[in-house]
Amino acid sequence: MESSAAPTVSAGHDVGPAPVDLLRRLRARGAGDPVTHVERVPARVGVPAPWPAWAPPELRAAFARRGVVAPWQHQAEAATLAYDGGHVIVATGTASGKSLAYQLPALATLLADPRATVLYLAPTKALAADQLRAVAGLELDGVRPACYDGDTPRAEREWIRRHSRFVLTNPDMLHHGILPGNAQWSGFLRRLAYVVIDECHTYRGVFGSHVAHVLRRLRRQCARFGATPVFVLASATSGDPATAAGRLTGLPVTAVTEDASPRGGVTFALWEPPLLPPDSATPAVPAQAAGDHDATTDLVQVRRSALRETADLLADTVAEGVRTLAFVRSRKGAEVVAANARRALDDAVPGLGDRVAAYRGGYLREERRELERALLHGDLLGLASTNALELGVDLVGLDAVLICGYPGTRASLWQQAGRAGRSGQEALAVLVARDDPLDTYLVHHPEAIFGAPVEATVLDPANPYVLAPQLACAAVEAPLTPADLALFGDGAKEAIDQLVEAGALRQRPTGWYWRHRERPEVDLRGEGGAPVCVVESATGRLLGTVDGGSSHFLLHPGAVYLHQGISYVVDDLDLADGCALVHVEEPDWSTHARDVTDLSVVSVRSYVDAGPVGMFLGEVDVTSQVVSYQRRRIATGEVIDTRPLDLPTRELRTVAVWFTLSPRSLASAGVQQADVPGALHAAEHAAIGLLPLMATCDRWDIGGLSTALHPDTEAPTVFVYDGHPGGAGFSERAYGTASAWLRATRDAIAECGCETGCPSCVQSPKCGNGNNPLSKPDAIRVLDVVLENLPA
Ligand SMILES: [Zn+2]
Ligand SMILES: [Zn+2]
């Protein structure tokens, strides 16, 4: 959500050095050039469009009071499509004014038809509240916008249902409150003209699949009352937004993607920290302890860490008097960057370190405002922050932004880079790669960042683990009929049959009826397995939750668990209660869980027969058990001991993509028989690391298994599967983009400067086998065989 006329705060202090000169000095600092690419993102002049003829003067005047003289081209185009009754998604950059694209047709309709209503959905209450302020600020008669969410007092709810014509809510409230209470909402739904879905790229994976069905339930209720609202969606820039929006809503959606808003110029550098000299390669544990990620690792660090590199860059820019914001993924990491930068500055000029601070979520509001104020006025020159700032704080107009590690999606990357640049001035942005296959790939493939986006928002409404509970909810709202099957899509009939068999639905001549008194309990953000609570024994304080799938790995008895940079040791994991008891302790070892995983193929949905290579998509059963853990000295990486664990096996029915190769093709590519397991294993790790390039997922959402001979495929095979029951759409996307995905995987491995494999290419931070065996050169050969045979 952003308004087209977001107030920007900017300081009137001296102009810093030109970004090009600044970058030249930064890169000349060490031996070798860490910069792999410099992209000059030119300033763009906005392309305004005339107000559409249908926009009433009253509305134009209201926008003009807010400083909007005319819409930008993309706003006008999307607005007119929607006003004419087409479903539309506007997928453009940060601060491009997407909100005007839906406010314009929605509000024009409310003014023209005094009965019409609008429903606006945001992923968070905070965004809905922002949008409420924006709409209310237009002061249009009779619109009466109101937020309706969990915080809305009971006393106000009825008034809103009866009188508000612009209701702002979130998918959870729609699911738990509005749809089950559809009788009370019938007046509103009957007159519903528009449904606005803001920040719709956040509806991805299992959550997105649930939301897709909540929207189908909404459409069904509207249809019962005779309404067919127009859907207007707003999204960050992404690959194939029309398809993603179509899957989310179940409707044909037109995409508007040409951004016509103005922006300042940015010099954007991609920066790869140098390899360490071979003899100084150290276990990566210190970097982990510094909070690069809160998970066990088996990695050997061969590259200078992104945290250190970012700290040096921050010190250098601050020394030049440049106001700089460094984004670091973890809170502890942000503190490490700030501390190192301060130390370096104090060494150079005592006292200069005071002009750098760390900023993270959890500060009191006044503390945050004080930091913002200090930075805007130049008292403070450098700030290291987590993404906390990405959401809550209005801080733009900096001279330089350092991004320590790819933030996971292009949307986040541009949101962070967008903090740089004061009006009319050039700014510098630097992406510092972490030692991770995706980061490595990106700094060597700038087209993946600056070219047309390939990363798509994926979801899978056909997931039976989502579909069945959603159909149960729908049946409570009104009996299901055969006419509903098409609405809920593939698999709906099977899911209904299963619900009948399980005694949840009863079939009558007029449809399928819910049999119970209580409504089904369905959590949209549920991940199948219940999350495990992490509780500090001494105080009973809840530290956080870990999803069920990771709990055995991260919370087994004896595990060292890092939470927001503080070290805890697990005393007990009570799976029945879904709770792990921990105490504060910082031992000088780390723990590394090992698991054994089995996978069997249940069915094949689709496949490509490419001679010696086969590519498959299908259902699989994954059985895994965490069986032991190693304790290792943090300082040296030395293994202290291996301790057995007694944890139950876990089973997962999910969707996988897999490829097979004939043994003969591997042999003729030069892969020795003994190296096949290491070759496949290395290819599997890198392929998992690169999948987030194609789909908005995290490598932690995905699992893999490779084997030189799989009983179901009878061939050397690499499996990559969705880590969520029933699948989340990631494997499906991987299958659909297989050659591009595996090409990127191959290039990431081949272009990594290490010799035998490192965390930037084939090592994985979540390997259950301790990253053994791995063969980097043979992984390239394996992928070459696949790519030579697979049709593009
Ligand atoms: Zn490498
Ligand atoms: Zn592995």
Side-chain angles (χ1 to χ4, degrees), residues 512-528:
W512 290 277
Y513 286 74
W514 179 247
R515 294 183 58 166
H516 304 291
R517 286 176 72 94
E518 321 74 52
R519 289 207 303 267
E521 270 193 32
V522 179
D523 180 2
L524 301 187
R525 295 161 199 268
E527 294 282 303

Side-chain angles (χ1 to χ4, degrees), residues 22 69 71 73 297 633 648 692 709:
L22 176 61
V69 193
Q73 182 93 54
T297 63
R633 292 253 178 258
L709 178 64

Side-chain angles (χ1 to χ4, degrees), residues 416-507:
Q416 296 182 354
R419 300 282 181 176
R422 277 177 281 163
S423 58
Q425 272 184 43
E426 299 280 318
L428 177 68
V430 181
L431 170 63
V432 180
R434 295 187 309 160
D435 48 359
D436 164 280
L438 182 57
D439 284 32
T440 308
Y441 179 82
L442 290 171
V443 293
H444 290 283
H445 290 266
E447 75 280 3
I449 294 176
F450 303 105
V454 290
E455 148 206 308
T457 309
V458 301
L459 51 138
D460 180 14
N463 177 339
Y465 294 85
V466 172
L467 187 49
Q470 286 290 337
L471 282 165
C473 295
V476 180
E477 287 151 18
L480 291 161
T481 65
D484 293 323
L485 295 179
L487 175 67
F488 289 96
D490 289 347
K493 182 64 172 62
E494 291 80 354
I496 289 175
D497 290 344
Q498 277 169 17
L499 289 166
V500 170
E501 208 165 293
L505 294 183
R506 172 175 310 181
Q507 186 163 16

